[in-house]
Amino acid sequence: MTQFTYIYDTYCGWCYGASNVIGALIDSGAEVQLMHRHLFQGPNAHRMADGFGQTALQYDRRIAGLTGMEFSQRYADNVLLNAEEILDSSKTAQAAALVHDKGAKAEFALAKALQKARYVDGKPAVDEQPVYEALKAAGVTEELSGGKARAAEISSEAARILSRVGARGVPALLMHKDGQTRVISVADYYDNPAAVTALAA
């Protein structure tokens, strides 16, 4: 049986760009485990005022060109050009941990809702309202803090997996088949996301 592990961070622009590919794989009925890496915390919680916003803007334009995903002007104004914004995915990591055991469809739906809130609606990371709205849609009423320990566990395990396979960063799609694990290039499917489903056959 072919299984997949998808390691991501909600606030990673490239992970947002991979959404259609991963969504197609999950919708096909393939067995997929999602793991939130929680990259953006501590020293990696970048301040837009320190120049990261301009750097991200350039990357996001490239991602949009390759994938067709929307990065709105509201996002640019309210997030990337907001001197107060800090790229901290702690809230989304905790939310992902709270729905993790509900399966890939539930966690992916949560990620999509949170990515829309950020990249389309322009909601900054400090805004908890979209996070709680997405959790409510997933049937979760627990406080975000309840997912903190679990989020750390998932992130640590994801880091170990990435290290074992020699993968660098996220998004990382891993295919497990016949006792072997192979890193799949999500970029190969940008032009035709549905083609990724052939891997599960």
Side-chain angles (χ1 to χ4, degrees):
M1 172 184 272
T2 305
Q3 300 171 309
F4 300 87
T5 300
Y6 178 60
I7 301 174
Y8 71 105
D9 189 295
T10 315
Y11 286 169
C12 156
W14 288 104
C15 297
Y16 173 56
S19 294
N20 288 339
V21 177
I22 304 306
L25 186 61
I26 293 172
D27 288 343
S28 75
E31 186 173 338
V32 185
Q33 176 183 220
L34 268 63
M35 302 185 75
H36 194 292
R37 176 63 181 87
H38 194 187
L39 285 175
F40 305 117
Q41 60 176 318
N44 291 323
H46 307 293
R47 290 177 55 85
M48 298 302 171
D50 295 336
F52 184 82
Q54 290 295 332
T55 299
L57 185 62
Q58 298 304 313
Y59 276 114
D60 292 343
R61 286 172 177 164
R62 183 182 175 199
I63 296 165
L66 289 170
T67 68
M69 297 299 288
E70 179 183 3
F71 293 83
S72 73
Q73 190 60 46
R74 286 189 300 265
Y75 161 68
D77 293 340
N78 299 339
V79 177
L80 298 185
L81 302 179
N82 178 359
E84 302 299 320
E85 171 74 359
I86 297 175
L87 178 59
D88 187 335
S89 58
S90 294
K91 291 180 174 62
T92 63
Q94 290 166 21
L98 290 174
V99 303
H100 182 73
D101 291 339
K102 291 178 175 288
K105 283 191 175 183
E107 186 169 344
F108 187 69
L110 177 91
K112 283 185 67 177
L114 296 176
Q115 287 167 336
K116 178 183 180 297
R118 184 171 183 83
Y119 296 112
V120 179
D121 300 334
K123 302 294 184 181
V126 72
D127 191 348
E128 291 185 351
Q129 182 179 351
V131 184
Y132 278 112
E133 288 176 354
L135 282 172
K136 184 178 179 181
V140 176
T141 58
E142 191 173 347
E143 289 294 318
L144 276 173
S145 58
K148 186 174 182 179
R150 181 75 169 122
E153 291 173 2
I154 293 170
S155 180
S156 293
E157 178 60 21
R160 286 192 288 270
I161 291 171
L162 290 172
S163 178
R164 281 202 302 269
V165 300
R168 297 180 59 187
V170 294
L173 178 62
L174 313 179
M175 183 174 75
H176 315 287
K177 186 174 184 179
D178 300 328
Q180 303 293 319
T181 295
R182 180 159 66 98
V183 180
I184 303 299
S185 172
V186 178
D188 290 346
Y189 301 94
Y190 285 157
D191 292 337
N192 184 14
V196 76
T197 63
L199 295 173

